[in-house]
Amino acid sequence: MKIAETIAEARRLREGLPGPVGLVPTMGFLHDGHLALIRRSRAENSLMVVSVFVNPAQFGPQEDFKTYPRDIERDLKILARENTDIVFLPSVEEMYPPGFDGWVDMGKIARRLEGASRPGHFRGVATVVAKLFNIVQPTKAYFGQKDAQQTIVIKKMVADLDMNLKVVTVPTVRETDGLAISSRNAYLNTEERQAAAVLYRSLCLGQQLWAEGEKGAGKIREQMTAFIQSEPFTTIDYVSIAEPETLEEMAVVKTPALVSLAVRIGKTRLIDNVVLE
Ligand code: AMP
């Protein structure tokens, strides 16, 4: 396993090696969700690149960039064990040198849901991912369904800007009680961790109501909202039932539909989703 800390070094290592290249962009503090992407990439490519970069551009000024969990020594051990060929580990200065001022703005879909709650978030995500694609030039790049809107934004960026790679979406990996695995789960105390299971349970409730014949999106959202509010420590940011390409809210549920939510458990903001199809 080779470690590249500069863009020049990443390019040099990548050039020397032939075959389909898989890229898994991460912010590190690796968990089983990341491993699903890494193993899929390993299985489908002859060269496997993982980037570990906590991207300041996608955090708002009041968000957790400084306190975001990091453990690069542990991450490198995991990546070596998974037969990673190249780890790209740039510094903030390497990615955003003085004078940096070029941004990728993905328009309307980047301003809904997560984009509405976190202004500028997807500008930061799209910009860093475009840079990673240009640096690594992967054949395929792997993203998690857990961050559904992120995957949708990246797929649209690749389509709209004619980027020459395939974006693969990997299903969400969950704990036994259904909570989607996330680096931010580390912020939860024991009671909050128990309460956090309400996110996935409410998504299952929405799915069940729809399967039983309820097609009014408003009705489903209402029941999911009441269910979440019945759990302690919860503050709802949004509960959405939207068309998966445009992310426009639905009045009547038509498939496929993306049911997604963001809920604060204590101070920790968590997101999750399911697709009705
Ligand atoms: P992050 O390090 O949180 O930016 O995540 C890096 C990638 O891993 C993103 O494409 C995420 O969607 C994906 N990911 C994170 N958690 C999970 C999970 N529980 N299941 C599947 N993919 C995940």
Side-chain angles (χ1 to χ4, degrees), residues 25-28 31 33-34 37 68 143-144 146-147 150 171-173 181:
T26 81
M27 300 206 296
H31 52 63
H34 298 114
L37 276 62
Y68 193 84
F143 292 86
K146 148 100 188 344
D147 299 277
Q150 169 169 281
T172 303
V173 180
I181 299 180

Side-chain angles (χ1 to χ4, degrees), residues 253-274:
V253 181
K254 287 200 201 78
T255 53
L258 177 68
V259 186
S260 67
L261 42 74
V263 178
R264 234 171 260 282
I265 306 285
K267 288 192 175 129
T268 306
R269 188 174 180 282
L270 301 176
I271 59 171
D272 200 355
N273 69 86
V274 295

Side-chain angles (χ1 to χ4, degrees), residues 128-251:
V128 83
V129 172
K131 284 169 72 76
L132 291 170
F133 287 174
N134 283 332
I135 294 162
V136 176
Q137 301 193 15
T139 319
K140 291 185 182 175
Y142 296 80
F143 292 86
Q145 177 62 29
K146 148 100 188 344
D147 299 277
Q149 188 178 8
Q150 169 169 281
T151 305
I152 291 163
V153 167
I154 299 301
K155 281 191 171 158
K156 189 154 198 312
M157 174 180 80
V158 166
D160 285 1
L161 301 183
D162 308 303
M163 294 177 169
N164 192 19
L165 75 154
K166 185 168 185 286
V167 175
V168 179
T169 311
V170 178
T172 303
V173 180
R174 301 181 177 284
E175 304 282 5
T176 46
D177 65 352
L179 177 66
I181 299 180
S182 160
S183 306
R184 288 193 171 101
N185 293 351
Y187 296 145
L188 302 169
N189 66 30
T190 313
E191 288 149 345
E192 290 169 340
R193 170 62 191 83
Q194 268 183 352
V198 77
L199 274 83
Y200 185 59
R201 286 201 193 113
S202 71
L203 291 168
C204 293
L205 170 66
Q207 201 161 30
Q208 185 196 333
L209 292 168
W210 168 75
E212 287 169 358
E214 179 59 71
K215 297 296 176 277
K219 290 246 171 67
I220 299 177
R221 278 192 293 263
E222 259 169 42
Q223 294 212 39
M224 289 174 65
T225 300
F227 184 72
I228 296 164
Q229 284 169 340
S230 72
E231 189 69 39
F233 313 114
T234 57
T235 316
I236 296 175
D237 191 345
Y238 62 80
V239 175
S240 158
I241 304 180
E243 200 285 319
E245 265 180 36
T246 60
L247 297 177
E248 275 171 39
E249 286 303 313
M250 291 176 173

Side-chain angles (χ1 to χ4, degrees), residues 4 6-15 86 88 135-136:
T6 65
I7 293 165
E9 178 69 356
R11 287 213 162 106
R12 197 184 62 75
L13 292 172
R14 195 260 184 248
E15 261 166 27
I86 301 171
F88 182 44
I135 294 162
V136 176

